[in-house]
Amino acid sequence: MHTSEILEIVRTTLELSKQEMSNLLGVPGKRYARYESGVLIPDDFFYERMETLYGIDMRQSGIAFAHPEKLKPAVYEQLRQLLL
């Protein structure tokens, strides 16, 4: 699963716009849109924010749930099912 797919799943399941998601993560909206479209590879700051806010470690191939309790159950379940 690609970073862009994970980002879209998390954002849409949380019912956030791209701008709202970028605000939560502390990155410019256009940059976030590039991450989600797969045009740009996120930097370490972005990965750290994803882990801090959502408990998802995306620095390795795929994802690891460092703190699944930080995710809403619907987001966690959808990502978990895709990883099976």
Side-chain angles (χ1 to χ4, degrees), residues 22-82:
S22 72
N23 290 345
L24 288 171
L25 292 168
V27 298
K30 288 183 180 182
R31 181 176 296 164
Y32 176 81
R34 288 177 160 169
Y35 293 159
E36 190 173 302
S37 67
V39 171
L40 189 62
I41 297 171
D43 57 16
D44 285 338
F45 172 79
F46 180 83
Y47 289 130
E48 289 169 12
R49 292 294 294 157
M50 285 297 290
E51 187 169 352
T52 298
L53 291 174
Y54 302 111
I56 301 171
D57 182 354
M58 299 170 59
R59 286 174 256 213
Q60 49 195 300
S61 63
I63 64 171
F65 297 105
H67 302 281
E69 69 278 1
K70 291 185 177 185
L71 284 170
K72 287 188 176 183
V75 176
Y76 174 74
E77 190 56 35
Q78 188 168 5
L79 287 172
R80 194 180 68 74
Q81 288 296 321
L82 288 170

